[in-house]
Amino acid sequence: MNGYTVLYDPEGRIDAQLPLDRTTHERVARAVLAWSDPEALRPDDFEQVGLLLAGAARAVADDVRALAVRLPEDDGRRLFAEFVVGQADDCLACPSRNLLRVRDRARTLRALYERLDRLQGTAPAAEATTTASP
């Protein structure tokens, strides 16, 4: 036995049902951005912190995407959200085995949370939920 379980979730239901621990992720991002010594951690430790931040960033990016697609295509909020998510995708594709890369992920996570906050409550509700019953 390998000590972990692989879940089959092709529809992404588990991610949609589990809320992120935003406070913890923001604290980790703040701590990473406060680090000044590039030798403070070993590359493996930087990688672990980077993986934590990347996982949170990917989940927040999915939420931003979901809200952005509800906006009209020519809406500036949608365009900027798509830009921020695209930048996040580029950043998260790089391995994070040093302080610079981990800081990039922390900044990316902060930018995604800021975009999420700006989009929440502004995107029209999905059509299925806007139909009122008599």
Side-chain angles (χ1 to χ4, degrees), residues 13-64:
R13 291 183 183 149
I14 292 173
D15 287 341
Q17 295 172 359
L18 296 175
L20 288 175
D21 186 358
R22 181 174 178 162
T23 303
T24 299
H25 295 137
E26 288 176 334
R27 286 179 181 164
V28 170
R30 216 176 9 257
V32 166
L33 293 172
W35 289 342
S36 59
D37 181 9
E39 304 295 322
L41 299 175
R42 296 184 357 228
D44 291 344
D45 294 332
F46 278 123
E47 185 174 24
Q48 288 300 309
V49 174
L51 289 171
L52 173 75
L53 293 171
R58 285 188 179 97
V60 176
D62 288 344
D63 290 346
V64 170

Side-chain angles (χ1 to χ4, degrees), residues 10 20 32 42-43 100 104 109 114 116 126 130 132:
L20 288 175
V32 166
R42 296 184 357 228
L100 179 63
D104 286 344
L109 179 61
E114 288 171 9
L116 181 66
T130 58

Side-chain angles (χ1 to χ4, degrees), residues 19 55 66 95 99:
L99 179 58

Side-chain angles (χ1 to χ4, degrees), residues 74-94:
D74 61 345
D75 190 311
R77 295 170 298 176
R78 178 177 179 164
L79 297 173
F80 192 62
E82 290 172 350
F83 173 77
V84 169
V85 169
Q87 293 293 314
D89 289 342
D90 291 344
C91 174
L92 298 175
C94 300

Side-chain angles (χ1 to χ4, degrees), residues 90-107:
D90 291 344
C91 174
L92 298 175
C94 300
S96 59
R97 294 183 57 84
N98 62 46
L99 179 58
L100 179 63
R101 296 283 189 197
V102 173
R103 279 187 171 170
D104 286 344
R105 288 190 177 183
R107 287 186 196 99

